[in-house]
Amino acid sequence: MRRWAFKCIEGILRDYPNIPDYIKQREQELMYPIQTPDENIGGGRSSTIIKPQERMIITLDEDRRLNALKQQRKLIDDTLDEFGTDTEAIINELYFKKRQEYTIEGLIEQRKIFVGRSKAFELKTEFIESLGTKLGLY
């Protein structure tokens, strides 16, 4: 795997805990858009959808950024489910925590994971490569 792709996936993993906030924020932006005053007085009928609930549902379903965030979260969750608890502990400690307490060696010494050093690095690399393939970066 190329170094830039590996770093990009690591960045995505570090941002994973914030994805629910990003989704919520984007939904709020779509549901309550900033409206500019309409200075057009009179005029004909509009061909747009009149009912605001229908417009909001269509907007939420078609928004690319919102769908990309949901897809990204789903792919990370699915990839975590495919791997074991040791991989999950490694990824959680190295990427999901705000303040990392342990390195991979620390996880092994503290008996948080039950594999050797080389196997732990191999699990991390396999996870990132698998996620990269699913995200289309590898």
Side-chain angles (χ1 to χ4, degrees), residues 110-127:
Q110 295 296 319
R111 305 250 184 240
K112 304 280 183 184
I113 57 175
F114 302 100
V115 294
R117 183 180 186 278
S118 61
K119 182 64 177 175
F121 279 103
E122 184 181 316
L123 289 173
K124 177 185 128 180
T125 304
E126 286 176 3
F127 177 84

Side-chain angles (χ1 to χ4, degrees), residues 37-123:
D38 185 15
E39 297 176 7
N40 184 12
I41 300 173
R45 294 181 181 236
S46 173
S47 64
T48 60
I49 300 170
I50 304 284
K51 297 178 183 172
Q53 294 87 1
E54 289 179 11
R55 188 176 334 134
M56 181 184 63
I57 290 171
I58 291 171
T59 303
L60 288 175
D61 285 343
E62 293 178 351
D63 187 62
R64 286 184 180 178
R65 190 165 127 210
L66 182 62
N67 289 333
L69 287 168
K70 288 180 180 178
Q71 180 69 14
Q72 191 176 20
R73 181 177 63 181
K74 183 182 181 315
L75 288 175
I76 293 171
D77 289 340
D78 291 347
T79 308
L80 275 173
D81 290 342
E82 291 174 10
F83 287 83
T85 56
D86 287 337
T87 304
E88 190 172 338
I90 292 168
I91 300 301
N92 186 33
E93 180 64 36
L94 297 180
Y95 300 111
F96 295 166
K97 283 191 174 180
K98 202 170 203 173
R99 288 182 177 41
Q100 178 182 340
E101 289 181 59
Y102 303 108
T103 61
I104 288 182
E105 289 86 4
L107 290 171
I108 295 167
E109 289 172 6
Q110 295 296 319
R111 305 250 184 240
K112 304 280 183 184
I113 57 175
F114 302 100
V115 294
R117 183 180 186 278
S118 61
K119 182 64 177 175
F121 279 103
E122 184 181 316
L123 289 173

